[in-house]
Structure formats: structure tokens, C-alpha cells
Amino acid sequence: MELGYSLLFYLKKPKNYTSGNIPVYMRFTVNGIPKECATTRTADPEKWCSKTNREGGKTESTKSLNYHLDDLQQKVHNAHALLVREGKHITAACLRDKFLGRDKPQKVLQLLEIFRLHNKQMQELIGKEFEENTLKGYRTCLLHLTGFIQKNYQSDDLAINLLDYNFINDFNVLCD
């Protein structure tokens, strides 16, 4: 899993630019792959310092812009930290999307929900590929698994991503 990223603020001259302030963009780079988005702010190209990625000077507008960029930088850092905590594969696109709030929550698969779907599909195959006793065994296993999850996790179902060796081992002990 990639843990590092870089963030760059830069000025992007629009087509037909003649003079005045220029939009400030931010570029997220992970594994050499960049993605960018606008910051909704502009800067004076005469005052912009490429080395610091900030506008130079002491005016109120410069201070305001630089504070805003510092705030954006912190928000990107927080978005990155969230992705790391969530165990997500980090790309420049997903970091940008997390920062922008565009990341779509994925449906968390539930163990018993999947098991019930499996049993329903098995039932449709009785007499074709499977015998009734096979389905009976799966139904019994589902009942044991449901009770195990309710007792050990105080829940009606369990997210697949929470399964680990201990879960399998503890359930196996119950079934012996």
C-alpha cells in the first residue's frame, strides 16, 4: 500500500491570459501519477513563489490566500490519513476525491447476507446439481453462524472485512 503523496500548489494560466491574477491549482501525486483540481482562489503571478508554493508578501490578501492554502494542505493531509486508516489503496485520484468529498461509500458486504444468498442459489439447484441434504447442511451452518455472531459480536450480521483468523478459529471451535 502506498503511504506517501505529494501536494503542489501552482498557477495555471487560462487561455488568452493577458494580465491580472491567475487561478491557483493543486496537484496530488502518488507513485508519479498526478491529478489536479482548482482551489477556487487566484494569485498575482508577480508575487507567486514556485519554491514555497505560496504568494510572497505581507498584504492582507496575500496572508489570506496563504492561510487558505495552508488550510487546504491540512485537509489533504487529513483525507490521506483517513484513507490510510480505512486501509484503502491510495491513488492520486482517490486522494483528490476524498479531499473533495466525492468518494462514494461502498456497500459493506455482510457475511450472513452473502450466506443467505448462497443458500437461495443452492435451493434453485436442488435436483439438478445438489441434493436436499447438501442444502440442509448449509442451512444448519447458517443457523450456527447466526447464533455465533449474535453471541460473540452482539450483532445481527458481520461485515466481511471484519473476518480474520480468530473469527474462523473461534467459529471452528464452536462447531467441533
Side-chain angles (χ1 to χ4, degrees), residues 111-120 142 146 156-157:
L111 177 61
L112 297 178
E113 180 183 355
I114 292 169
F115 210 126
R116 287 185 196 100
L117 176 62
H118 169 268
N119 285 1
K120 182 179 177 188
L142 177 60
T146 301
D156 292 331
D157 208 340

Side-chain angles (χ1 to χ4, degrees), residues 23-159:
V24 179
Y25 276 70
M26 50 196 314
R27 179 178 297 134
F28 309 83
T29 305
V30 176
N31 288 331
I33 299 171
K35 293 294 176 188
E36 63 181 38
C37 69
T39 65
T40 70
R41 295 289 177 102
T42 61
D44 182 347
E46 301 283 323
K47 296 180 183 177
W48 187 258
C49 177
S50 296
K51 188 173 182 180
T52 62
N53 296 310
R54 300 291 190 273
E55 197 173 76
K58 304 258 186 215
T59 65
E60 282 305 311
S61 65
T62 294
K63 287 179 184 178
S64 175
L65 171 65
N66 290 340
Y67 286 139
H68 181 72
L69 298 180
D70 290 342
D71 186 49
L72 292 178
Q73 187 169 2
Q74 185 59 47
K75 288 178 179 176
V76 170
H77 176 75
N78 293 344
H80 181 266
L82 272 173
L83 289 170
V84 170
R85 274 197 302 273
E86 292 169 358
K88 301 278 176 80
H89 174 71
I90 299 173
T91 65
C94 78
L95 179 57
R96 178 198 59 202
D97 292 347
K98 185 73 160 181
F99 165 76
L100 294 172
R102 283 195 231 156
D103 58 323
K104 295 178 181 136
Q106 297 176 350
K107 183 179 189 285
V108 177
L109 298 175
Q110 301 289 314
L111 177 61
L112 297 178
E113 180 183 355
I114 292 169
F115 210 126
R116 287 185 196 100
L117 176 62
H118 169 268
N119 285 1
K120 182 179 177 188
Q121 291 171 345
M122 287 289 294
Q123 186 169 2
E124 293 170 5
L125 296 173
I126 297 296
K128 299 173 189 162
E129 295 181 37
F130 297 98
E131 297 296 321
E132 182 68 39
N133 277 345
T134 304
L135 180 58
K136 183 180 176 185
Y138 283 120
R139 285 179 175 154
T140 301
C141 185
L142 177 60
L143 286 173
H144 289 298
L145 191 56
T146 301
F148 175 76
I149 289 173
Q150 288 172 344
K151 180 181 175 195
N152 291 36
Y153 295 88
Q154 292 76 44
S155 179
D156 292 331
D157 208 340
L158 193 63

